[in-house]
Amino acid sequence: SWDHTVRLWDPATGLVETIMPHDGLVECLSALPDGRIVSGGDDKAIRVWGQATGRVNDIYFTQSRVVGLATSHDSSQVYAGLENGEVLFLQFERGATN
């Protein structure tokens, strides 16, 4: 988002449940089937969040802005598209759901 955050809303109440900050504009977001959330943007970082905690589990710094994210069906892989044309591949341990 423009305010450098990822926000999760409770659909039942419409209230913001969690705010996850970035150091720049958030360009993309993907939810892993195991409940983690992956986000990226202008700060050239890929952040992996625990949905239950709203805390960063991992940060991966890149050489360029993160403009796209895709995840695998088993939560073990993330592909990140960068503004400079590179595609990064991240491999996670299965069952790592902190």
Side-chain angles (χ1 to χ4, degrees), residues 2 8-10 14 16 18 23 25 27 31 41 44-46 51 55-56 58-59 62 65 68 72 80 84-87:
W2 291 103
L8 299 181
W9 279 267
D10 181 332
V16 174
T18 308
D23 295 329
L25 176 72
E27 294 276 348
K44 301 178 183 177
I46 300 165
Q51 182 177 354
R55 294 187 180 167
V56 175
D58 292 298
I59 300 177
T62 69
R65 227 173 86 214
S72 65
N84 67 2
E86 291 181 27
V87 176

Side-chain angles (χ1 to χ4, degrees), residues 36-83:
R36 289 177 293 170
I37 295 171
V38 183
S39 59
D42 285 354
D43 58 1
K44 301 178 183 177
I46 300 165
R47 287 177 167 76
V48 182
W49 306 86
Q51 182 177 354
T53 64
R55 294 187 180 167
V56 175
N57 293 344
D58 292 298
I59 300 177
Y60 302 91
F61 292 99
T62 69
Q63 298 296 315
S64 186
R65 227 173 86 214
V66 183
V67 296
L69 292 166
T71 58
S72 65
H73 69 282
D74 65 356
S75 301
S76 68
Q77 301 168 348
V78 172
Y79 298 89
L82 305 183
E83 184 178 46

